[in-house]
Amino acid sequence: MTRSPIRRGACLGVLFPWLILRSVCFVGAMGEAYAADESVEIKVDQVGYLSRGAKVAVVTAAAERFEVRRVSDNATVFKGTLGAASLDADTGDSVQIADFTALKEAGTYYLDVAGVGRSWTFAIGPNVFSRTYYVAMRAFYGQRCGTAVDLGPEFPGYTHAACHSKGEFHSSSGKRGERDNVGGWHDAGDYGRYMVNSGITTGTLLWTWEIYGAKVKSIKLNIPESGNGTPDILNEARWNLQWMLKMQDEDGGAWQKQTSEHFPGFVMPEDDHLASEVIGTGQAPYKSTCATADLAAVAAIAARVYQPFDAKFAARNLERARKAWLWTEKYPDVVFKNPPGVSTGEYGDNDCGDERLWAAAELWRTTGEAAYNEYFVEHYADFRSILDAPAPEGWKEVAPLGLWTYALSTRKGADVAVTEIRKRTAAAARAIVEHTRKNPYHVSLLTKDYVWGSNGVAANYAMELLVANLLAPDPSFVETAQDNLHYLLGRNTFSLSWMTQVGANPYRHPHHRPSGADKNAEPWPGLLSGGPNARRQDDALKRLPEGLPPAKIYLDEQASYASNEIAINWQATLVFLLAATLP
Ligand SMILES: [Zn+2]
């Protein structure tokens, strides 16, 4: 926290303690009182703003004017008038906008709002998010299963020993005995590994490379593979990809997940001694279609992406993707439900048609073979309407990924499909821009979007906008994508950065077992919280007062798994949008 010697008549936090001011007053050498700390009534992106982009802060206490001051000498570099107050129904806040877009000079600043206080500090510059990208991407390394992890010396003490080093088949898998399934990432706050969520996560990271490779290729993540000649984002993705390949049976099908039968307590991963089991459907063919189709899609992307770095690995991925695809042709609708006695995450999905569409599109993009194209052309019309409603994709709904990869491909496909996908995506993006502009917080979330993982929904809106910008370039799409990033990094009703250890006022108590079980005062770094959840799907949220607006239903508590859990899928989307901001 930066102490700034802003001269004031008095320390507001002392005189008016009911004001939500986190004031710590101290007395300067000359005996003047100084307000040192920041007001949560001023919401800024605590990381910063790109020089060329829009720069907007939100003020929720009545005021008229604001100044932007430079941290180094407290000099005022910009003066502005706050916009008219408007009521935001989703938070209940009365919101005034401070627009300082005209300030382009690189530096570190804070807002000073007369009568309210000062904001957290933030940077302006052409490249303000590279450190945030690094920390977000490195969070995946922290989630590695089956190996010892050490985030030091940058984050000393953030370590865990090798965990879950033995796997075995659960009776529901159709097989018996031990199984080498070491690897992968712990999915979320728990230690399970789930193919469906791994699929969208790994696919999103591989897309990040395909789309923003030039921006991220030189960013070294300081992981064990760094310096091996492969870009680190691909090194990290490979850790999970290799586990996904291990989950494929000889017949080509993939088991749904590898977890214990029930969740362990809040222990470090190496202290979780519950058996790590490959779990199937409980009856032939034991594997599930969604998991297998997701594997086909991701391995097909990997076949393109790893080609220049490890042609053998790329070829192995293609072979596995084809095999998985054939399995889904034979078994197009084997749905997974938790077998008796298993209570870990289900990632259940009654319709695997969208997963198969994504697989066909990625296989077509990689191979150019007619059979995959024919499947896509025959089926895409069943899914295209999903592009119209601004309802972002998620682990359960991957049709947008299938449709977009088809349109992004340089292969000579069906022009009519490409044109239609491009048109619908651009129209949906324009609608998102429109409703985001009307939102007092400039976030794309609609009232209905404050669900489990709402921060992931905000990130997904941003990803949708960025993909639209590739298909039909429009600067307003990029600008609005960044608005959602600003929301996640502090421009929200709580004035909270929803990335651990990022920004001056980050959330601190994620539902994340290593963060809860280790000896460190702060949580593991770089992890995105799930965010407000109006459905109150845990006991902690049920304790909140009735009648709270949807965006307020959030608790920075470990117990609130329905609003404060971390998860690899929304972490990957965050990485995608951070990568887009890099120079
Ligand atoms: Zn593990």
Side-chain angles (χ1 to χ4, degrees), residues 292-307:
T292 306
D294 277 337
L295 173 64
V298 172
I301 311 171
R304 309 193 283 272
V305 158
Y306 290 92
Q307 176 64 32

Side-chain angles (χ1 to χ4, degrees), residues 38-296:
E38 298 83 351
S39 166
V40 295
E41 303 280 17
I42 310 168
K43 296 99 161 53
V44 298
D45 183 324
Q46 293 164 26
V47 175
Y49 301 84
L50 293 175
S51 304
R52 281 190 303 175
K55 298 165 203 80
V56 164
V58 162
V59 178
T60 50
E64 281 176 18
R65 276 178 286 280
F66 70 96
E67 296 182 0
V68 182
R69 290 171 180 257
R70 194 160 48 213
V71 167
S72 57
D73 58 1
N74 299 300
T76 299
V77 295
F78 186 90
K79 286 184 180 180
T81 307
L82 291 168
S86 61
L87 182 70
D88 175 39
D90 292 341
T91 57
D93 293 343
S94 173
V95 167
Q96 287 177 274
I97 291 295
D99 190 331
F100 49 102
T101 301
L103 176 60
K104 296 187 193 307
E105 197 190 326
T108 311
Y109 304 98
Y110 61 91
L111 247 68
D112 186 5
V113 182
V116 180
R118 58 162 290 177
S119 74
W120 315 100
T121 59
F122 56 86
I124 291 176
N127 181 22
V128 289
F129 295 105
S130 61
R131 164 83 185 164
T132 313
Y133 166 84
Y134 167 84
V135 178
M137 197 51 226
R138 209 151 177 259
F140 283 98
Y141 168 56
Q143 292 294 102
R144 283 193 192 189
C145 184
T147 188
V149 164
D150 187 347
L151 298 186
E154 222 177 333
F155 293 99
Y158 291 85
T159 63
H160 76 67
C163 55
H164 308 107
S165 50
K166 265 208 267 177
E168 63 181 42
F169 286 108
H170 187 259
S171 57
S172 61
S173 68
K175 301 218 165 173
R176 285 162 185 279
E178 286 195 6
R179 168 85 172 183
D180 164 31
N181 281 95
V182 170
W185 296 310
H186 299 140
D187 182 63
D190 66 316
Y191 296 133
R193 288 165 284 166
Y194 306 83
M195 285 295 275
V196 167
N197 209 36
S198 268
I200 190 165
T201 302
T202 313
T204 301
L205 292 180
L206 296 180
W207 273 36
T208 304
W209 168 257
E210 276 200 298
I211 295 170
Y212 302 116
K215 294 170 181 277
V216 302
K217 70 169 182 266
S218 56
I219 299 185
K220 198 176 147 217
L221 298 177
N222 295 318
I223 54 178
E225 299 82 4
S226 292
N228 67 357
T230 299
D232 271 351
I233 185 173
L234 295 184
N235 280 325
E236 191 52 52
R238 184 171 176 157
W239 182 264
N240 197 60
L241 192 51
Q242 283 171 324
W243 169 78
M244 289 183 76
L245 294 172
K246 286 181 183 180
M247 287 293 280
Q248 188 176 34
D249 199 3
E250 287 90 359
D251 67 355
W255 287 283
Q256 181 82 359
K257 61 177 177 177
Q258 183 173 4
T259 71
S260 41
E261 287 192 331
H262 56 87
F263 291 122
F266 263 70
V267 296
M268 291 302 285
E270 62 271 30
D271 298 326
D272 171 24
H273 301 300
L274 298 173
S276 175
E277 309 199 49
V278 175
I279 294 174
T281 60
Q283 55 181 324
Y286 301 101
K287 282 76 65 178
S288 46
T289 307
C290 289
T292 306
D294 277 337
L295 173 64

